[in-house]
Amino acid sequence: MGKSSAQEDNKGQSSPPRSSGSRRISLIVNGREHSLNIEPWVSLLDALREHLHLTGTKKGCDHGQCGACTVLADGKRINSCLTLAVMKDGAEILTIEGLAPDGDLHPLQQAFIDCDAFQCGYCTPGQICSAVGMLREGHAHSVEDVKEQMSGNICRCGAYTNIVEAILKVRGGKAHE
C-alpha cells in the first residue's frame, strides 16, 4: 500500500502524517528544498535526523552544552538541539553532509584528517561545522581566538590541540568555505 498524499512532500521526502498541531515548513538543507510537516516542539536536530535522515549531525547533551549538533543556519553557527524547526522555516541549513556534495572533502574535513583532529569522531561533525562558521565570520585571528570561538564544542577525547591545528591550517590557506 502506497503513502498517502499527506505523507509525501513536494520533493519526495517522507514526513509523518499531518496532525492537527503540526505545521508545514520548508527548509533548504544542503542546497535541496524540503517541505515537512512538523509538530511545533520538534527541534531542528530531530527534524534533520528523524525526518530527513541526515544523521551526521549528532545528538549529544540535547541541552546546547556540547556542540555536537552544530549546523549552519543562514550561514550562522547554531545548536540545532536548542532550535525549533518551525523557527527556521525558509532557512538555508548546512550540515556536515553538505560540506562535500560532490565527494571532494571540504578543506576543514581534509585538515581534520591530516592533523589527526579526532579520536572517536562523535563531536567531529559539530566541530567542523562550527569551524566553518567561525572562519566565515572572520573570528580566527589567533590561537586564542580559535580556542575561545570553539569553546562551545566539547571533545570528550581531548583532541583540542589537533582541532586548533586543523583550523589554523585552513585559516592560513585560501579556502574558508
Side-chain angles (χ1 to χ4, degrees):
M1 188 162 199
K3 293 180 180 169
S4 72
S5 61
Q7 291 175 299
E8 286 292 321
D9 71 14
N10 62 0
K11 299 295 180 192
Q13 290 287 343
S14 292
S15 251
R18 187 174 177 142
S19 71
S20 61
S22 68
R23 306 280 187 269
R24 171 83 79 196
I25 66 166
S26 176
L27 298 172
I28 301 166
V29 181
N30 302 329
R32 184 170 173 224
E33 186 174 358
H34 299 273
S35 182
L36 301 169
N37 288 320
I38 297 287
E39 299 296 334
W41 56 82
V42 172
S43 69
L44 179 60
L45 173 62
D46 288 339
L48 293 170
R49 291 182 58 83
E50 296 173 17
H51 294 268
L52 298 178
H53 310 291
L54 296 171
T55 57
T57 304
K58 302 301 183 207
K59 185 178 274 204
C61 67
D62 218 16
H63 294 348
Q65 297 175 346
C66 73
C69 67
T70 303
V71 298
L72 301 177
D74 294 326
K76 303 228 183 268
R77 300 177 281 169
I78 64 165
N79 290 330
S80 61
C81 74
L82 294 181
T83 305
L84 297 175
V86 296
M87 294 170 57
K88 292 301 171 188
D89 188 15
E92 290 189 35
I93 308 297
L94 181 65
T95 69
I96 192 72
E97 292 92 347
L99 288 178
D102 299 322
D104 295 327
L105 292 179
H106 184 280
L108 269 166
Q109 290 171 312
Q110 188 61 56
F112 265 62
I113 293 168
D114 295 345
C115 296
D116 197 24
F118 56 91
Q119 288 180 31
C120 80
Y122 196 83
C123 72
T124 304
Q127 296 275 0
I128 291 174
C129 284
S130 186
V132 167
M134 177 188 59
L135 291 172
R136 286 181 179 173
E137 294 161 8
H139 294 307
H141 302 294
S142 66
V143 171
E144 292 76 24
D145 288 345
V146 171
K147 288 179 179 179
E148 175 66 25
Q149 291 292 315
M150 294 296 292
S151 65
N153 292 82
I154 295 172
C155 173
R156 288 182 173 90
C157 299
Y160 294 114
T161 302
N162 297 4
I163 291 168
V164 171
E165 180 184 343
I167 294 167
L168 292 175
K169 178 180 179 175
V170 172
R171 187 211 62 196
K174 296 181 193 236
H176 296 315
E177 308 225 13

